[in-house]
Amino acid sequence: MTFSPLTHRRIAQFKANRRGYWSLWIFGVLFFVILFAEFLANDKPLLVSYEGKLYMPILQTYPETQWGGKFQTATNYRDSYVKKLIEKKGWMLFPPVPFYISTVNFNLEEPAPSPPSRENWLGTDDQGRDVLARLIYGFRVSIFFGLILTFFSSIIGVIAGAVQGYFGGRLDLIFQRVIEIWSGLPILYLLIILSSIIEPNFWLLLGIMLLFSWMSLVAVVRAEFFRTRSLDYVRAAEALGVPTWRIMWRHMLPNAMVATLTYLPFILNGSITTLTTLDFLGFGLPPGSASLGELLTQGKNHVQSPWLGLTGFFSLAILLSLLIFIGEAIRDAFDPRKVMAR
Amino acid sequence: MTLLQVKDLSVHFRSPNNVTTKAVNNVSFSLSQGETLALVGESGSGKSVSALSILGLLPYPMAFHPTGSILFEGQELLNTPENTLRKIRGHEIGMIFQEPMTALNPLHTIEKQIAEPLLIHKGMSKLQAKERVVELMNLVGFADGISRLNAYPHQLSGGQRQRVMIAMALACEPKLLIADEPTTALDVTIQASILELISDLQKRFQMGLLLISHDLGMVAKMAQTIAVMRNGHIVEQGQTSKVLKNPQHSYTKHLIDSEPKGHPSAISRKAANILEVKDIKVTFRGQKKSWMTRGTGDVKAVENVSLSLVAGETVGIVGESGSGKSTLAYAILRLTESQGQINFCGVELQHLSRAAVRPMRPQMQIIFQDPFSSLNPRLSVGQIVAEGLEIHQKQIGKLEIENQVQSILQEVGLSPEASHRYPHEFSGGQRQRIAIARALILKPKLLILDEPTSALDRSIQAEIIALLRDLQKRYQLAYLFISHDLKVVRAMSHRILVMKAGQVVELQETEKLFTKPTSPYTKSLIKASFDLLENN
């Protein structure tokens, strides 16, 4: 793939913003690591060697009888009886954080929520579950939710803005009024009401949020299409007989993409914050799921256990700051004044 | 007495990655009271940069002066602290900028803007300042403006704005006036009166005038001495009449030679009819005042224009800005809605749907004024030129398209390897060639040229005109040539259509129009644009 010189200069400009550049790297690494959360924090061992054979319980469920136990049910590897059984004829290798989000640590030395210890690095929550494990999974849910929501809402937003900006006139007028009314609906209340009727899950929440979040880009893209519409090279394309959709795609969209890309990190931030808000209020993901908002609720309920609140606060603050820094760098990269001053 | 003495001035620009651009190199000139010195050269020759460094208005510290000194009444201005310069700017030295729309603050009334230097430099009270503003408005010949002191720049016409700018520059009776292309953005008829005003005021106040221009005709009339600049150097300097009559340097000769001249080649008798336009009307619907009044704000941009065109013929359309020239062109191409008949090669376009016009589009193409905005900066030249072929001739393969692109680029005088580069790597003239290639690759019968040369320097203008004439002869193209520049139109067209406020004033054979114009408007247009030339 070859880049135009303009793209080259933009990449250079992005790199010139050291803070944003490093933020992108840190975020990238975090994102990559978190993709493999199951191998990072799990109550099943990564690898079991039993009677000379290797097993991967993390990928496959084995009954207890496999290890010479009595039950036909799935093995609880944290059970001290099972541990003994396996270690007699082999060994087990646990992930660095040997807890799953629902794993309750029954061997706490203090009543839950217990403070950070060698076993639970960030302590446990009020149900004795490991905070680090829940943080890793909660982080992943937040980022995925944000990314998917941003992706779909930008697609819808760009299309809506492009159509309005290109065709203008009555269509634009009607669409604008519809958007004004639609954006007047109180999203948070709507979600609270909906979640008291049906039990929300990840995709349902995403769908409902999508109904409202696509509007944030429309104004920018619409304005950009309005502006580009009267540019000479768009007129020239029209005079060449280039079909409308191709003009929009090839000659106008790249201009609008500058504004869109600049906005994306901020939309992503907004999506993450909304999900956290809902979880914090208890109207978000179903009970038991790990999320940053749920962690914050626990922090609020147990002020005497500062590791809960602090973990929630710092993880959220770091995630949002990273995205804002990246967003700033992208904005710099697309700033014509900075790029053009060679 | 010497008013301004510029010695050995150099201006370099430093970019963030430490590449130094030498904009001006060792330039020297001097100017005495009441004298006019013209800096002449093409865009990028460093004439504006030299003038701006007198007032210290360059983007320091990105710009810097390795050598030189600028003495104004014996006082050194170069590398002087801002505070000292501020006392001189607007007070001792006034400046008129090229584009009065962008040089005036759109958020302040004209009174406030003219009064500003008075309040700052002269310490006048508001009342005194107002009196002086009224005086100035009379002085610059904008007496009607006195009742419009509370108007904002957008409510004035281009000529009125330029008068406001001059009033601003003259407010404190400066000893030196710098005029940076003071009339380039104006219509010809207004140009003449503004120039008259400037030279009149200069005589009255015994000002030194530093005139920056690319227009030799104007310089010949205005300036006693002339300095020709090229690539940051002064190549020739001396008395205007001497330099223009007997140029020593080859570049000066080249500049003088590039005044448009010559005639288009004759049309063959059997030329086929290409375009027949009858009673074209374009109305822009204005803002309604309320739901009760209906369409009161409608603007009739083009009214009942008829014209015809045969193969190999050029019809020039002239008129001032806002006269509906471009709108007419867009209407003929069906890019703007209009009423009336448009018969193109025997097909009536007006009743066809947008989609039905599309297959006709390769036959009729347009070249725009500004070659910088008419090429998509994100596409390579090859992609830009090939786009028309990709759409209209889907049956031909990639290789064939590439071959055609290469050959058309060669035909318009570009090297074939240009197709892999991007528009910003080319100069204005080269870009206009790319735009011509984009239109020509479809083998059109009609080419509409919407001010194709007015964004270009004179010498490049001449090249583009030669190219267009050559192409017309070879392919029997029909041209509709829109311009406000009568000299260029005269060199290009067989017939000329004069427009004013959307209406046809005159449609006449070129030579007849110039020798025996029938309408007073045409006469004034011709007078305004050729008066300057005759002194040459």
Side-chain angles (χ1 to χ4, degrees):
Chain A
M1 184 174 167
T2 52
F3 291 120
S4 74
L6 190 66
T7 319
H8 273 298
R9 253 181 287 158
R10 283 182 174 152
I11 292 171
Q13 193 61 45
F14 183 86
K15 283 183 183 167
N17 185 329
R18 304 307 297 173
R19 195 167 63 181
Y21 186 56
W22 281 109
S23 295
L24 181 68
W25 270 109
I26 297 172
F27 180 77
V29 169
L30 279 179
F31 183 74
F32 185 75
V33 166
I34 266 161
L35 280 179
F36 302 100
E38 272 81 5
F39 296 87
L40 212 63
N42 212 324
D43 58 351
K44 298 187 185 99
L46 292 171
L47 211 58
V48 172
S49 162
Y50 186 73
E51 293 183 325
K53 278 207 302 191
L54 286 176
Y55 300 87
M56 290 190 77
I58 209 161
L59 300 177
Q60 203 177 342
T61 318
Y62 298 102
E64 222 177 87
T65 46
Q66 183 85 31
W67 327 108
K70 289 181 184 111
F71 300 122
Q72 296 281 343
T73 51
T75 321
N76 176 6
Y77 295 93
R78 296 186 51 80
D79 193 333
S80 56
Y81 174 69
V82 175
K83 267 189 194 167
K84 263 182 216 158
L85 274 181
I86 292 175
E87 268 157 15
K88 232 192 302 181
K89 294 184 178 170
W91 46 264
M92 285 196 286
L93 176 69
F94 271 97
V97 182
F99 300 96
Y100 190 61
I101 46 167
S102 50
T103 316
V104 177
N105 188 354
F106 291 107
N107 315 325
L108 290 177
E109 286 161 19
E110 279 179 61
S114 66
S117 62
R118 279 186 60 191
E119 200 182 1
N120 303 106
W121 295 349
L122 289 174
T124 66
D125 66 2
D126 57 0
Q127 292 169 48
R129 298 174 296 194
D130 185 64
V131 171
L132 184 56
R134 291 183 67 79
L135 178 66
I136 290 171
Y137 285 91
F139 209 73
R140 183 166 77 170
V141 168
S142 291
I143 291 178
F144 269 95
F145 187 85
L147 285 178
I148 298 172
L149 183 62
T150 312
F151 180 72
F152 284 110
S153 50
S154 351
I155 289 181
I156 300 174
V158 167
I159 292 174
V163 167
Q164 283 182 48
Y166 186 86
F167 294 104
R170 187 157 299 188
L171 180 103
D172 177 50
L173 203 73
I174 294 170
F175 246 109
Q176 282 291 297
R177 299 297 87 75
V178 169
I179 286 179
E180 270 161 28
I181 296 169
W182 195 239
S183 63
L185 292 177
I187 308 168
L188 213 55
Y189 284 112
L190 209 79
L191 279 166
I192 290 171
I193 294 166
L194 274 174
S195 65
S196 62
I197 302 169
I198 34 176
E199 192 187 330
N201 60 35
F202 183 86
W203 294 107
L204 195 69
L205 277 178
L206 195 78
I208 296 168
M209 296 272 296
L210 189 56
L211 287 180
F212 297 95
S213 64
W214 59 274
M215 286 176 290
S216 47
L217 270 179
V218 173
V220 199
V221 177
R222 173 176 165 269
E224 200 61 36
F225 267 73
F226 253 143
R227 191 179 66 81
T228 346
R229 183 90 177 78
S230 58
L231 284 185
D232 276 351
Y233 64 80
V234 173
R235 271 185 192 275
E238 241 178 294
L240 276 176
V242 181
T244 306
W245 61 267
R246 188 174 157 136
I247 294 182
M248 287 169 84
W249 176 259
R250 199 172 188 209
H251 296 283
M252 297 170 83
L253 189 64
N255 282 307
M257 280 322 279
V258 173
T260 310
L261 279 176
T262 315
Y263 253 75
L264 280 190
F266 304 100
I267 296 178
L268 188 57
N269 257 356
S271 319
I272 292 174
T273 319
T274 318
L275 181 69
T276 311
T277 315
L278 286 173
D279 283 332
F280 178 73
L281 296 172
F283 298 108
L285 297 171
S289 14
S291 81
L292 296 177
E294 195 258 0
L295 190 60
L296 286 178
T297 318
Q298 293 226 5
K300 182 192 135 228
N301 292 340
H302 303 279
V303 185
Q304 298 85 351
S305 319
W307 56 91
L308 293 173
L310 287 178
T311 310
F313 168 75
F314 278 113
S315 51
L316 205 57
I318 289 169
L319 173 62
L320 296 184
S321 307
L322 284 180
L323 291 176
I324 290 287
F325 292 153
I326 297 172
E328 276 182 350
I330 295 178
R331 198 187 54 202
D332 276 2
F334 283 112
D335 189 341
R337 275 167 303 163
K338 290 199 175 174
V339 174
M340 287 310 159
R342 276 178 282 174
Chain B
M1 181 199 140
T2 310
L3 185 67
L4 180 77
Q5 176 88 39
V6 175
K7 244 192 208 157
D8 212 19
L9 173 73
S10 300
V11 186
H12 293 186
F13 287 95
R14 195 186 288 126
S15 73
N17 36 10
N18 267 325
V19 181
T20 315
T21 328
K22 294 172 185 169
V24 176
N25 296 307
N26 307 85
V27 161
S28 307
F29 54 84
S30 69
L31 181 63
S32 32
Q33 244 172 4
E35 190 195 340
T36 303
L37 169 70
L39 283 181
V40 183
E42 311 203 320
S43 49
S45 60
K47 49 194 197 311
S48 287
V49 172
S50 311
L52 286 173
S53 47
I54 296 173
L55 285 175
L57 287 175
L58 291 171
Y60 301 102
M62 257 181 0
F64 62 102
H65 306 284
T67 61
S69 90
I70 297 174
L71 291 178
F72 175 72
E73 293 194 307
Q75 191 187 356
E76 176 63 51
L77 293 187
L78 210 58
N79 300 324
T80 314
E82 275 289 288
N83 281 336
T84 328
L85 282 177
R86 221 174 273 143
K87 281 183 199 122
I88 293 169
R89 289 180 196 153
H91 187 67
E92 310 271 343
I93 304 178
M95 178 139 187
I96 304 172
F97 292 91
Q98 173 172 2
E99 177 53 80
M101 187 68 225
T102 50
L104 292 175
N105 189 332
L107 297 179
H108 291 306
T109 60
I110 54 172
E111 179 188 351
K112 202 168 167 187
Q113 298 191 50
I114 300 175
E116 196 173 18
L118 295 171
L119 301 177
I120 294 170
H121 293 301
K122 297 272 181 192
M124 285 189 184
S125 73
K126 282 209 170 147
L127 218 67
Q128 283 172 312
K130 183 157 188 167
E131 267 172 40
R132 174 80 180 136
V133 168
V134 171
E135 210 178 298
L136 284 165
M137 296 289 263
N138 275 322
L139 197 67
V140 296
F142 187 23
D144 331 342
I146 294 164
S147 57
R148 298 182 64 187
L149 286 178
N150 284 322
Y152 290 88
H154 73 268
Q155 295 169 312
L156 305 178
S157 72
Q160 290 171 332
R161 274 184 225 131
Q162 197 60 291
R163 280 172 202 270
V164 170
M165 278 276 297
I166 295 172
M168 259 169 93
L170 292 182
C172 296
E173 293 178 10
K175 291 172 188 142
L176 172 65
L177 185 65
I178 302 175
D180 188 357
E181 307 256 5
T183 57
T184 314
L186 303 175
D187 286 321
V188 271
T189 45
I190 302 160
Q191 270 182 23
S193 61
I194 292 285
L195 289 177
E196 217 164 276
L197 171 70
I198 291 178
S199 58
D200 186 45
L201 291 171
Q202 185 201 7
K203 266 176 219 137
R204 204 175 321 168
F205 296 113
Q206 280 298 300
M207 282 186 297
L209 176 62
L210 181 62
L211 182 68
I212 297 161
S213 180
H214 65 270
D215 186 347
L216 284 177
M218 167 186 146
V219 166
K221 193 180 184 192
M222 296 281 293
Q224 284 101 43
T225 44
I226 183 172
V228 182
M229 283 192 80
R230 187 191 192 192
N231 298 336
H233 293 278
I234 289 184
V235 295
E236 192 165 357
Q237 195 167 7
Q239 253 188 330
T240 308
S241 50
K242 266 191 202 157
V243 170
L244 290 184
K245 276 217 184 78
N246 194 8
Q248 297 302 312
H249 195 273
S250 60
Y251 181 68
T252 319
K253 282 179 198 157
H254 175 64
L255 267 189
I256 294 170
D257 279 344
S258 53
E259 287 290 320
K261 50 181 173 257
H263 298 283
S265 37
I267 318 164
S268 84
R269 290 261 172 78
K270 293 170 284 180
N273 232 348
I274 298 288
L275 183 73
E276 184 83 49
V277 173
K278 257 197 196 125
D279 292 334
I280 283 269
K281 260 181 255 176
V282 182
T283 316
F284 290 125
R285 259 208 297 165
Q287 208 84 40
K288 278 190 212 163
K289 295 247 162 58
S290 78
W291 57 273
M292 302 246 287
T293 54
R294 233 198 141 136
T296 44
D298 285 6
V299 180
K300 286 178 184 152
V302 176
E303 269 189 282
N304 300 332
V305 175
S306 306
L307 63 95
S308 66
L309 209 53
V310 298
E313 187 187 14
T314 304
V315 169
I317 304 181
V318 290
E320 308 194 330
S321 52
S323 59
K325 310 184 295 279
S326 297
T327 313
L328 174 65
Y330 295 150
I332 290 171
L333 288 179
R334 284 284 317 269
L335 293 174
T336 304
E337 287 306 311
S338 64
Q339 285 105 47
Q341 294 171 5
I342 307 168
N343 192 313
F344 177 71
C345 296
V347 183
E348 180 57 48
L349 293 184
Q350 198 64 273
H351 309 301
L352 296 178
S353 70
R354 279 177 73 94
V357 177
R358 216 165 268 154
M360 308 280 300
R361 293 225 177 267
Q363 310 280 312
M364 41 188 210
Q365 281 299 308
I366 183 166
I367 310 277
F368 292 93
Q369 169 173 8
D370 184 0
F372 290 86
S373 70
S374 67
L375 303 176
N376 190 339
R378 288 187 177 77
L379 300 181
S380 72
V381 171
Q383 285 172 306
I384 290 172
V385 177
E387 180 151 43
L389 277 186
E390 284 168 14
I391 290 158
H392 293 290
Q393 301 192 18
K394 294 205 171 95
Q395 72 284 0
I396 60 176
K398 258 194 173 159
L399 207 71
E400 173 61 21
I401 287 184
E402 202 154 309
N403 284 339
Q404 289 203 29
V405 169
Q406 307 271 341
S407 67
I408 201 88
L409 283 176
Q410 265 175 323
E411 192 152 359
V412 298
L414 292 167
S415 78
E417 74 206 33
S419 72
H420 302 294
R421 288 156 66 193
Y422 286 83
H424 76 264
E425 298 172 57
F426 295 91
S427 68
Q430 287 173 318
R431 283 170 188 235
Q432 204 57 295
R433 285 170 195 269
I434 297 169
I436 293 172
R438 170 175 62 186
L440 276 187
I441 200 165
L442 292 169
K443 310 246 173 346
K445 288 181 179 150
L446 168 68
L447 195 56
I448 295 187
L449 302 148
D450 188 0
E451 309 246 8
T453 58
S454 41
L456 305 174
D457 285 320
R458 270 277 183 231
S459 63
I460 296 158
Q461 252 181 34
E463 289 168 22
I464 295 287
I465 287 171
L467 171 69
L468 287 172
R469 266 202 217 128
D470 181 44
L471 290 169
Q472 179 169 49
K473 203 167 155 192
R474 211 173 321 158
Y475 296 111
Q476 285 298 299
L477 293 168
Y479 286 157
L480 207 54
F481 191 92
I482 300 171
S483 182
H484 65 269
D485 188 342
L486 279 174
K487 290 177 228 163
V488 178
V489 173
R490 186 181 198 171
M492 278 294 291
S493 331
H494 299 96
R495 288 185 295 152
I496 294 180
L497 176 87
V498 182
M499 279 183 83
K500 189 190 182 188
Q503 281 168 322
V504 178
V505 176
E506 207 167 342
L507 175 58
Q508 192 64 266
E509 308 259 316
T510 303
E511 279 322 303
K512 239 187 215 165
L513 184 96
F514 281 103
T515 46
K516 282 183 217 137
T518 49
S519 74
Y521 180 69
T522 315
K523 275 179 202 159
S524 73
L525 263 187
I526 292 172
K527 185 170 179 289
S529 47
F530 287 94
D531 232 14
L532 298 171
L533 202 71
E534 273 152 22
N535 292 16
N536 224 333

